[in-house]
Amino acid sequence: EPKADRMSLIVDGVVRGIADYGNCVGVPMITGQTNFHSSYNGNVLVNAFALGYFGKEDQVYSSKAHGTGNYVVYVGAKTGKDGVHGASMASESSDEDSEDKKPTVQIGDPFYEKLLIEGCLEVMKLDLVEAIQDMGAAGLTSSSFEMSDGGGVGLHLHLDKVPARDSDITPEEILLSESQERMLLICKPENFAKISEVFDKWDLDAAVIGEVVDEKEITLFWKGEKQLKIDPSVLVE
């Protein structure tokens, strides 16, 4: 309801969150619509829709990992502790403990997103990419497991190679962080140097964090020690 507690502040935050981020990243905010109902007084719902142009001159890139020996490459902003368990938090109901869950909310930076978009478009235009996917809900876990499962291949991932903002970040936090402005891509080893050069130009990280293997299982390593080996289908399906 419009006059519910803190609702004017929440509405203002939602509007600015969408408009400011979208406009800063170069995507014009064309229209919006707000509806009110008492059942959303404690926890609002925001739906955003983006429309883009894809023409005959644009090449299609799949998220399906392939090519034994190919590199798994992390590109974009560094991983932080923000957004850890964000996907599960978004599915929970709000209560008096909701304030304690603030760290599960991602911190977005539209300028970094703009740089990431330009960097990804450039390496794709140069045909340096075999597969690519964004790190969305559940971050590195969802992107890597979905790419592995979709391509019918396995991955060896070295979590300590992931660029991180916090020196004390744990393997679990790296796997579940939903820090924004990050992508995961697969490339041939001979193409990594050029990919690194492109992202360095855009002032973003590009790091080899693993490789593609034949056996359809994901093996996770931390500082050289194997932590887990699992069929990606267990999580994806």
Side-chain angles (χ1 to χ4, degrees):
E1 295 163 311
K3 295 187 182 299
D5 185 42
R6 298 180 64 244
M7 192 54 59
S8 61
L9 179 66
I10 291 171
V11 171
D12 180 64
V14 169
V15 172
R16 287 191 294 115
I18 296 172
D20 290 1
Y21 193 100
N23 288 326
C24 287
V25 86
V27 178
M29 299 294 100
I30 297 170
T31 186
Q33 178 179 325
T34 305
N35 295 307
F36 292 91
H37 190 277
S38 58
S39 62
Y40 293 93
N41 283 356
N43 190 18
V44 298
L45 177 66
V46 181
N47 291 311
F49 172 78
L51 176 68
Y53 169 78
F54 187 86
K56 293 180 180 179
E57 71 278 12
D58 296 309
Q59 189 170 340
V60 176
Y61 283 90
S62 168
S63 62
K64 296 178 180 179
H66 62 272
T68 301
N70 281 345
Y71 286 168
V72 180
V73 180
Y74 171 116
V75 297
K78 296 184 188 300
T79 295
K81 297 182 181 181
D82 55 304
V84 175
H85 294 298
S88 55
M89 181 276 291
S91 301
E92 295 174 357
S93 59
S94 293
D95 53 30
E96 61 272 11
D97 297 325
S98 295
E99 288 297 306
D100 297 332
K101 298 175 182 177
K102 279 187 175 179
T104 63
V105 178
Q106 312 94 317
I107 303 168
D109 187 326
F111 182 66
Y112 266 104
E113 180 70 18
K114 178 61 173 175
L115 298 179
L116 181 59
I117 289 171
E118 296 299 331
C120 289
L121 290 174
E122 187 168 338
V123 294
M124 289 190 284
K125 191 173 183 179
L126 293 170
D127 201 22
L128 301 173
V129 176
E130 301 301 308
I132 187 167
Q133 180 163 326
D134 69 294
M135 296 191 213
L140 178 61
T141 300
S142 63
S143 55
S144 60
F145 276 69
E146 288 172 5
M147 293 178 84
S148 169
D149 187 65
V153 295
L155 303 177
H156 284 180
L157 297 178
H158 303 271
L159 300 177
D160 52 298
K161 304 291 186 185
V162 172
R165 290 202 304 265
D166 305 287
S167 60
D168 61 342
I169 195 167
T170 66
E172 180 188 8
E173 289 169 334
I174 288 172
L175 284 167
L176 295 177
S177 169
E178 293 180 20
S179 293
Q180 300 290 279
E181 295 87 40
R182 304 178 303 155
M183 299 285 284
L184 197 64
L185 61 86
I186 307 294
C187 76
K188 294 177 179 176
E190 61 266 28
N191 288 336
F192 175 71
K194 184 62 179 177
I195 288 173
S196 180
E197 186 180 308
V198 169
F199 282 96
D200 184 60
K201 181 185 72 176
W202 293 105
D203 200 26
L204 292 172
D205 283 296
V208 177
I209 65 167
E211 56 280 332
V212 178
V213 296
D214 277 332
E215 184 184 14
K216 190 189 168 186
E217 287 196 304
I218 287 188
T219 309
L220 302 176
F221 296 90
W222 178 252
K223 297 181 179 178
E225 294 187 9
K226 183 166 70 174
Q227 305 293 312
L228 175 71
K229 188 174 183 179
I230 188 171
D231 183 339
S233 302
V234 173
L235 271 69
V236 175
E237 301 298 334

